[in-house]
Each structure stands twice: as structure tokens, then as C-alpha cells.
Amino acid sequence: MEGLGAWGQSRARGWRRCVVLGLILTLLAFVAAGCTEERKEERAQVQLKVLDYNKQSFYSTYGDYIAAAFPNVNVEVVPTEGMFDVKLPFKERLQQLTTLITTEQPDLIFLSDNDMYHALADEGLLSELSAFLAADPELEQHIHPGVLEHMRNERSGELYGLAADFSVLLLYYNEDLFQQLGVEPPRDDMTWDELLKLAQRVTQASSDADGVIGLLPDFAGPSGLVSLMAMTEGLGLFPYRASTGIMLADTPSWRQMFTTALDAYRMDTFRTKGLAPGQEQPTALAGGNSNWFRAGCAGMVIAGYGSYDDVTFKLGAVTPPVDAATRQRSFGMGSSLTMSIRAGSPLAKESWNMIAFMMSDYVAKVRAKLGVQYTGTSFFPSNITYADYSNDRFVASVYRQLPSYEPDDKGAALSNEAYNAMNDLFRSEVDEALAGSQTFEEMIERLQTEGKKILEWGIRSKGDMSSYIMIDDLD
């Protein structure tokens, strides 16, 4: 999962610099008091290059921390702003970045594009960090295991970067509504099957006149629900593998996804049977008072942290639905910014010290004192110490999550045209099965046969495509 899009445009920005820097300096007074003779060798002035989106991006994100902790380091920012056209093929953008790195020789490399992170590692331009991390076992124990897993994904266990922050989804619920209806509220680590049964109880406990629904879905129709459940279970967005050209609709796992979603709609969990012709199903994508959860007409909704802080009712939150196998993994966990070291950098040790500091207990404690709201983002420190010092009432549900598994589908993806065709096929076939226009088995057969045709003409090598579909988060 890429998480934030191309080159920092959706990067976490706008930290309250004066407040942050003041707290950092106060904290570092204690850190400095505990410094040993080993740190003296690091006090010589060092000129270190950092590749980042631009200078403002660097200082508004991590630069203030680094300047306070490492006063002997002079940072030169190598900007990537304006040099990438996202409409260009990925291979061309990778070549541009490779040329910049080779020419400018940055020591630290900050990336907000997960695909670039993997590509640069494949090109041999990033240092493997496992030895550095192994030398600091306390730090390794304090990094959220889901973050390490995310950074090692598709890398055969090797580690070429660390992310100081991560984001998750939460299952928000209306505590007042649950109490009014006399229904037990949701709890952490519920599966999709359990959540949908709870949503049905909420819907049935309210009158038709009230029009309350148990769960406000992200997307209209059963096909969107199928995809969300499948991603939670580690099956992927759609039932195919581009790398092998195989359709997977006719497998036990996908059959179960289809059955569960269709049953939920047939039992009118979302009150879709009473919709007038042309009336759209309420979804979480609606803004303002059009959002049924915000208006008090839905019991639960899945969304990013802070999405509903302004509601007028008592708000509760637990983990989003988890996979049935481990009851730990949920869809929507991602990292913000990857910090890597250029392979061959003569300042690898100094660069690692900066990364380690940004991942440290010290910074986590500062962030806990500030609170997530001061960053203007929904990202949490990857260091789990934050949870021990934060007074956020939902923090426990944040740090107990692990990322859902991602299918091993390297090297190929669908073109935009093929993706759209697959999406249309997926939606229409599931909708027809719900409407009774075809049987469940007919739906499976058509998904298999028609989907295979799309795969035959729509698969492209990732490196040769101007753009390919990546689903990052659905909140």
C-alpha cells in the first residue's frame, strides 16, 4: 500500500513548529544529560544531504526534530518538487529519480511513494537496514510490528526503510443510539460476519419511520462490500491475479465473500429495499448533513482517525473488522513517509542515527504530549511508546491493529481500461445476482469467463504502464 499518493502531495504537513520545537528542546535537555563519551565523535560538523519533496516539506515534518537533536549536522535538501509528471510511465519517473540520486548523492532519502521505495531497493540504490536495527534491540522492540511488516512486504524480509508514522481506520459508533436501541455496542477485533450481524440487529431494532441503518457502507451495493471484506481477508480487491492471468471467483474464499455480502443485502441490513426508484443508497462518501452517521441515522461507520470528531452525539470507536483467521489484521493500515539511506553513502551511520532518533521513544513521548491533533493529520508514531503516554481514548484500538495480508501479485497489473472493465463486470454481475436476474452459480461462471477475457487483453507490465491501479485506502 502506497498510502499517500505521488511525491508528497498528500504528505502530512503543517506541524505547529514553535510548540513542537519548544517541547523538543526541553526534552533534549534531558537526553543530552545522559550522553556518553561515545557521542563526542559525532560532534564534528557534518554536511548531510536529504532528498525530500522540498525544503519546507522537510522542516515541517522532521527537520525541526533533527535540527534540535543534531546541531552539528548541516542539512542540504535535494528537492524532487516539480520534476515528476505522474502521467509519465512509472519507468520514466523511476529513471528521473535514479538520475537525481546518482547525480546529487543524497545520504537520506525520504519517499512518500511506496512503489518508488520498492523500485529503488530493487535497483540497489537503498541500503539494507536490518544490521542497524539489530544493533539496537530496544528500538526494534518498540517499533509497531505492523510497520516493520509493511516495510518488509515484498522484500523477502529485507528492510530498506522505516516509516516514523502510520495510519489506520477505526470503526466509529454512535454510543447514544446503541443505548437508545438497547443493543450492545461493537467491540475490538470483530470479523466482518460479526459486524454485519450486529449492523442487522441495529437496523431491525429501529422502526421503519426512523430509517436508522446499522452500518453506513463506504460504497453502494454488495460488490463494494465484497471488496472490503476480501481485502480484510487478504484476498485482494478483485478475484484475479494479474501475474498469473487467473480468475479466482470460483474458489471457496471468494464464494464466501459473495455469499456474506449478498445475504446482508437480502436481509435489508442497509435498508435498500425501501429506496424509491432512482434514489441512491446512503454511503460514507456523502459529506456534511448528507452523511447519515454524522446526522445520527447510522449506528456505525468505518473511517480514518478524526473523521467524526465534530459529531454532536457521544462517539465511540473500536478496531475495524479483522480477518477471521488471526482476528488481528484489518484493511487500511499504511505508512506515511519512508526514510531510507542511499547505498554507498559515507554518512550511513549519521543517517541511521537520524532515522533511529525519529523512531525513538523520545520523539514518541513528545508526540504524545502534543497529541495527534497538533499535526493536523491522522498519523500516529510508529513507536508504540506513544500509546503508553497518550491520553487519547481510542489509542488502544489504533495500536492493536496489524495490516491485512496482500496477495503476492508482483510484476504485472491491469491497465486503467482493463481495471475499469473488471470493475464494471464485478459490480454488474453481483448486482444482477442480488436482483435475481441470475443465479449465484451463473454469477460465478460469468465472472470467471468474462473476467478471463479482460485479463487476456488488459495485463501490462507495471514498469511499462503510464499508470496502474493501486487502491490505497477507502476512508
Side-chain angles (χ1 to χ4, degrees):
M1 286 183 0
E2 176 183 344
L4 286 179
W7 292 105
Q9 293 181 356
S10 49
R11 276 268 305 274
R13 310 219 189 275
W15 289 33
R16 302 185 180 184
R17 295 186 61 191
C18 294
V19 178
V20 173
L21 189 55
L23 283 172
I24 295 170
L25 291 173
T26 301
L27 175 64
L28 289 180
F30 294 99
V31 178
C35 289
T36 65
E37 293 297 319
E38 298 175 359
R39 297 294 300 272
K40 290 183 178 179
E41 61 182 273
E42 301 175 13
R43 293 306 177 188
Q45 288 298 306
V46 174
Q47 186 73 23
L48 188 142
K49 285 187 174 183
V50 178
L51 185 142
D52 199 356
Y53 184 67
N54 58 28
K55 191 173 182 178
Q56 179 184 1
S57 166
F58 172 73
Y59 281 101
S60 65
T61 310
Y62 301 136
D64 283 338
Y65 285 104
I66 291 175
F70 302 93
N72 63 308
V73 176
N74 298 317
V75 173
E76 176 187 346
V77 176
V78 178
T80 61
E81 182 180 17
M83 70 171 294
F84 297 105
D85 182 355
V86 295
K87 296 181 180 179
L88 291 175
F90 181 82
K91 184 182 293 185
E92 291 186 27
R93 287 183 280 130
L94 173 61
Q95 182 59 52
Q96 287 181 328
L97 182 58
T98 300
T99 300
L100 179 65
I101 292 173
T102 303
T103 303
E104 295 292 336
Q105 299 280 289
D107 302 290
L108 266 175
I109 296 175
F110 288 179
L111 298 171
S112 58
D113 185 327
N114 198 47
D115 294 305
M116 280 294 181
Y117 161 69
H118 287 296
L120 291 180
D122 290 339
E123 293 289 324
L125 292 174
L126 304 182
S127 296
E128 216 281 331
L129 304 181
S130 295
F132 285 112
L133 189 59
D136 193 347
E138 183 178 357
L139 174 62
E140 185 171 12
Q141 291 173 4
H142 284 190
I143 298 177
H144 192 297
V147 173
L148 288 176
E149 182 179 313
H150 178 69
M151 300 308 301
R152 286 177 167 139
N153 185 40
E154 299 183 3
R155 302 248 55 87
S156 300
E158 295 181 333
L159 184 68
Y160 290 91
L162 285 173
D165 302 278
F166 71 99
S167 63
V168 296
L169 301 178
L170 289 171
L171 175 66
Y172 287 103
Y173 63 95
N174 184 332
E175 288 193 29
D176 294 337
L177 181 60
F178 272 87
Q179 185 175 7
Q180 175 188 335
L181 297 176
V183 178
E184 185 176 347
R187 63 185 187 279
D188 285 326
D189 307 331
M190 297 177 68
T191 64
W192 271 104
D193 185 63
E194 292 167 342
L195 173 60
L196 291 172
K197 288 178 179 176
L198 176 60
Q200 185 186 8
R201 287 200 295 272
V202 173
T203 301
Q204 292 178 344
S206 62
S207 66
D208 292 338
D210 294 333
V212 170
I213 57 176
L215 174 68
L216 185 65
D218 286 290
F219 305 106
S223 61
L225 180 57
V226 170
S227 289
L228 288 175
M229 291 191 298
M231 286 186 286
T232 301
E233 297 294 340
L235 301 177
L237 183 68
F238 293 135
Y240 69 82
R241 292 290 176 271
S243 57
T244 59
I246 296 176
M247 289 297 299
L248 301 172
D250 192 12
T251 60
S253 296
W254 276 99
R255 279 176 168 269
Q256 183 60 50
M257 298 300 103
F258 291 124
T259 298
T260 301
L262 288 170
D263 285 348
Y265 272 85
R266 285 168 179 154
M267 291 184 289
D268 207 22
T269 302
F270 305 99
R271 291 194 186 276
T272 51
K273 292 183 178 181
L275 294 177
Q279 183 180 1
E280 295 183 356
Q281 178 185 353
T283 68
L285 299 181
N289 291 331
S290 298
N291 183 293
W292 279 36
F293 183 77
R294 193 179 301 280
C297 297
M300 298 174 287
V301 67
I302 299 171
Y305 178 89
S307 297
Y308 292 96
D309 285 349
D310 58 345
V311 295
T312 58
F313 49 81
K314 188 176 181 181
L315 185 69
V318 295
T319 63
V322 296
D323 68 310
T326 71
R327 301 188 74 97
Q328 291 180 301
R329 300 184 175 278
S330 56
F331 170 74
M333 184 176 184
S335 60
S336 58
L337 182 71
T338 300
M339 303 179 293
S340 300
I341 301 174
R342 178 180 59 83
S345 167
L347 299 176
K349 181 180 179 181
E350 291 81 359
S351 298
W352 169 256
N353 288 341
M354 291 185 179
I355 293 176
F357 180 75
M358 292 309 305
M359 305 291 296
S360 69
D361 291 3
Y362 302 117
V363 173
K365 292 174 184 177
V366 172
R367 294 281 299 279
K369 190 171 184 63
L370 289 171
V372 174
Q373 66 272 18
Y374 281 93
T375 70
T377 73
S378 58
F379 291 95
F380 290 81
S382 298
N383 190 306
I384 61 177
T385 302
Y386 179 91
D388 296 331
Y389 290 88
S390 173
N391 58 6
D392 190 305
R393 63 194 181 108
F394 301 144
V395 72
S397 294
V398 169
Y399 280 88
R400 70 186 292 117
Q401 297 185 47
L402 290 174
S404 59
Y405 291 120
E406 296 182 30
D408 185 2
D409 206 19
K410 298 178 182 178
L414 292 187
S415 65
N416 286 344
E417 296 80 6
Y419 170 84
N420 290 332
M422 186 69 75
N423 182 41
D424 291 342
L425 173 69
F426 191 68
R427 184 179 63 253
S428 62
E429 295 304 321
V430 177
D431 284 349
E432 287 191 20
L434 177 62
S437 302
Q438 64 179 346
T439 67
F440 184 88
E441 294 301 327
E442 288 171 338
M443 175 195 73
I444 295 295
E445 182 180 357
R446 282 186 55 80
L447 285 171
Q448 286 289 113
T449 57
E450 299 302 316
K452 178 63 175 178
K453 294 177 183 178
I454 295 173
L455 294 179
E456 289 173 351
W457 63 263
I459 295 176
R460 301 285 187 275
S461 167
K462 285 187 177 181
D464 294 334
M465 295 171 61
S466 58
S467 59
Y468 57 91
I469 300 301
M470 295 291 292
I471 302 301
D472 300 322
D473 60 61
L474 298 175
D475 60 325

